[in-house]
Amino acid sequence: MQVSQFFDETLLNKYNASGPRYTSYPTALEFHDNFTHDDFIKAIQNSKNHELSLYVHIPFCHTLCYYCGCNKVITRHRDKADTYLEYLAEEISLQAPLFSDYTVKQLHWGGGTPSFLTHQQITKLVNLLKEKFTFSDELEMSIEIDPREIEMDLAEHLYSLGFNRLSLGVQDLDLKVQQAINRVQSTEFIGDFISHAKAVGFTSINIDLIYGLPHQTLETFAKTLLKAHEWDVDRISLFSYAHMPSLFAAQRKLRDEWLPSTQQKFALMKLAIETLCGFGYDFIGMDHFAKPNDELSKAQRNGTLHRNFQGYTTKGGCDLLGLGVSSISAIGDSFSQNIKELKAYYQAITDKQHAQIKGVALFDDDIIRGEVIRELMCNLYVDKQVINDKYNINFDNYFVDDLPLLETFIDDGLVENHAQYIKVEQKARLLIRNICMSFDAYMKKHINQQRFSRVI
Ligand code: SF4
């Protein structure tokens, strides 16, 4: 892959509009409260799937990172987690019987900070999940870790419980950047923890990095990238910092003058992609990097890469059940979400025996468009005949009002629209969200609203 082709600055500036990350179609903005728990149960009954991916949300964090846009609760009181885990256990016990004919292929703990939990709390939760659900022998079990508040022996503990993948929030290793975002952490400890986790047996370690943070320069970020290389991690997620202080109050602590300009941000992104590809990582989708022998890389090569609420994944065939406050599920032809506020979540579990607050039952049109968008996001390619055969449509007739929206990308040499297929050129990879928006029937409603982050 020729890396230089990703960076036509004129084109990137031309299309640097805000757009959804398409972890689902329709996006979560279309969820509504007319979707009830009965609809959720109907979706399970109608789903032909018997494989499940479980997502467990642990909302607590010790301190607030000022760039954060996640749903979290900042506290230093561990007993808050005890209370939460009681209600979560109740939710698990209520939901699990609905999935008795499913096998869990994937379990992911996210947050917040799952590593906020004590060893005992982690053990108890894993054991409960294993008791209530049927787990596959080839279970992929992953957890997000904040390296600031953990001890070295967390690695052994997680591994002994069956976790085989770790994801560490690193973001940036420069002290000035870390101080500005209120996330100071020890580079030495992270390196030691990664080595230790590998020695313990973890075969897949991911780190998250962010570009566009306050005070970041090419020089400082180059050092962060070099460390990632030295640590020899398997995957790297590279996110663009989306500064949306009107939506996320914590971001108001980050002064505009500290942030890189669009041009500087572009240079940081370019540096990161060039450096990581230079280190031998494959560029996956629009924001992930993986070693060539990693499953994500293999999935991209053989066209089976998938995308869900957790980003790019190899487990496309599974229904997804979200557990815990604010978590999202994708069951059969539906999406649904739990209540976002902690107290309301507790109340709902007590009063209603579930915490779902909204969702959406997909229309046939959503399913067809969702598949086209997913194919583009994952494979940069749509085989029109496959869509025609699967949904009994004529692609060009069905999308007669949408295809003209591709014209601008075609004129700029970014997309080819042939009778049999649509192909996105590699040089348009960073603009893939904007290209997908051409097939998004809900987009007109949201145009001119800053509901989504920008491409760069
Ligand atoms: S970035 Fe992660 S650790 Fe920091 S406040 Fe947000 S969820 Fe918590």
Side-chain angles (χ1 to χ4, degrees), residues 61 63-65 67-68 70 72 74 112-113 146 148 183:
C61 303
T63 45
L64 176 65
C65 310
Y67 60 84
C68 181
C70 301
K72 76 273 170 189
I74 308 297
T113 309
D146 178 346
R148 286 174 299 173
R183 191 185 171 104

Side-chain angles (χ1 to χ4, degrees), residues 85-100 125 127-129 131-133 321 323 345 349 353-354:
L85 291 175
E86 278 171 30
Y87 286 94
L88 182 62
E90 184 65 20
E91 189 192 7
I92 290 168
S93 301
L94 290 162
Q95 295 279 24
L98 303 173
F99 295 89
S100 56
L125 183 52
N127 288 343
L128 180 71
L129 289 164
E131 181 195 319
K132 299 291 180 184
F133 290 94
L321 173 63
L323 294 161
Y345 170 77
I349 297 287
Q353 281 75 57
H354 71 85

Side-chain angles (χ1 to χ4, degrees), residues 31 60 65 100 120 283 350 375 392 396 405:
F31 295 4
F60 305 104
C65 310
S100 56
Q120 263 182 332
F283 189 10
T350 307
E375 284 299 307
N392 198 20
D396 286 349
L405 301 175

Side-chain angles (χ1 to χ4, degrees), residues 13-155:
N13 282 330
K14 178 174 174 182
Y15 294 112
N16 188 20
S18 56
R21 301 179 63 78
Y22 289 118
T23 51
S24 71
Y25 179 84
T27 69
L29 287 182
E30 311 310 326
F31 295 4
H32 52 76
D33 53 15
N34 290 335
F35 184 89
T36 64
H37 190 56
D38 286 345
D39 294 326
F40 174 75
I41 291 173
K42 251 184 257 160
I44 301 169
Q45 289 161 350
N46 292 338
S47 174
K48 297 185 180 62
N49 214 330
H50 295 289
E51 294 187 337
L52 195 60
S53 177
L54 284 180
Y55 172 78
V56 180
H57 192 79
I58 307 294
F60 305 104
C61 303
H62 290 277
T63 45
L64 176 65
C65 310
Y66 295 156
Y67 60 84
C68 181
C70 301
N71 189 269
K72 76 273 170 189
V73 176
I74 308 297
T75 178
R76 300 201 75 81
H77 300 292
R78 299 259 182 184
D79 54 324
K80 282 214 175 177
D82 278 330
T83 309
Y84 180 72
L85 291 175
E86 278 171 30
Y87 286 94
L88 182 62
E90 184 65 20
E91 189 192 7
I92 290 168
S93 301
L94 290 162
Q95 295 279 24
L98 303 173
F99 295 89
S100 56
D101 58 352
Y102 278 75
T103 303
V104 178
K105 304 281 280 188
Q106 192 180 41
L107 169 65
H108 180 74
W109 292 16
T113 309
S115 55
F116 180 92
L117 302 181
T118 63
H119 287 205
Q120 263 182 332
Q121 289 168 332
I122 293 172
T123 307
K124 207 168 153 192
L125 183 52
V126 169
N127 288 343
L128 180 71
L129 289 164
K130 284 184 179 166
E131 181 195 319
K132 299 291 180 184
F133 290 94
T134 306
F135 279 29
S136 158
D137 291 340
E138 290 151 18
L139 180 69
E140 187 182 298
M141 202 162 151
S142 55
I143 182 166
E144 292 167 18
I145 285 180
D146 178 346
R148 286 174 299 173
E149 303 272 352
I150 56 169
E151 302 291 336
M152 214 40 98
D153 65 354
L154 178 65

Side-chain angles (χ1 to χ4, degrees), residues 195-411:
S195 305
H196 183 62
K198 286 182 189 173
V200 163
F202 282 92
T203 49
S204 178
I205 297 182
N206 175 84
I207 60 168
D208 291 346
L209 299 178
I210 302 180
Y211 67 90
L213 291 173
H215 308 304
Q216 253 176 358
T217 66
L218 293 179
E219 203 189 349
T220 62
F221 204 45
K223 288 185 189 159
T224 295
L225 295 165
L226 185 61
K227 265 290 166 214
H229 177 50
E230 285 171 15
W231 291 336
D232 195 26
V233 291
D234 305 278
R235 295 180 186 177
I236 296 169
S237 309
L238 175 73
F239 299 116
S240 163
Y241 169 56
H243 191 56
M244 299 198 277
S246 55
L247 290 184
F248 306 112
Q251 295 185 352
R252 288 176 211 149
K253 301 250 189 194
L254 304 180
R255 295 180 21 196
D256 285 348
E257 61 267 30
W258 296 350
L259 296 169
S261 65
T262 305
Q263 230 173 10
Q264 288 164 332
K265 211 174 160 193
F266 173 82
L268 286 162
M269 177 193 70
K270 184 167 183 280
L271 171 82
I273 295 172
E274 283 176 346
T275 306
L276 295 175
C277 291
F279 288 152
Y281 287 95
D282 285 341
F283 189 10
I284 310 291
M286 58 179 192
D287 49 17
H288 281 57
F289 296 83
K291 286 183 174 174
N293 60 354
D294 187 277
E295 281 170 36
L296 270 188
S297 289
K298 288 182 196 160
Q300 176 160 277
R301 280 198 294 276
N302 62 27
T304 57
L305 191 65
H306 198 81
R307 192 160 170 80
N308 67 14
F309 290 103
Q310 285 135 46
Y312 288 103
T313 172
T314 55
K315 298 278 184 286
C318 298
D319 276 350
L320 169 71
L321 173 63
L323 294 161
V325 67
S326 79
S327 63
I328 296 183
S329 300
I331 306 290
D333 296 333
S334 77
F335 300 133
S336 52
Q337 183 165 27
N338 276 355
I339 292 172
K340 286 186 178 174
E341 299 80 29
L342 210 48
K343 276 194 185 152
Y345 170 77
Y346 296 161
Q347 197 69 49
I349 297 287
T350 307
D351 294 350
K352 299 194 292 184
Q353 281 75 57
H354 71 85
Q356 259 173 260
I357 185 80
K358 57 185 176 175
V360 62
L362 304 183
F363 296 115
D364 289 348
D365 181 60
D366 295 327
I367 296 167
I368 296 169
R369 287 173 188 273
E371 178 150 349
V372 170
I373 287 174
R374 200 166 45 246
E375 284 299 307
L376 289 170
M377 290 294 291
C378 295
N379 301 314
L380 306 177
Y381 184 87
V382 183
D383 186 327
K384 293 182 180 177
Q385 198 53 49
V386 169
I387 302 290
N388 289 348
D389 292 346
K390 195 163 170 185
Y391 299 107
N392 198 20
I393 59 167
N394 176 298
F395 192 100
D396 286 349
N397 289 344
Y398 192 87
F399 290 108
V400 69
D401 293 333
D402 309 281
L403 289 169
L405 301 175
L406 287 180
E407 288 301 329
T408 177
F409 300 107
I410 294 169
D411 292 347

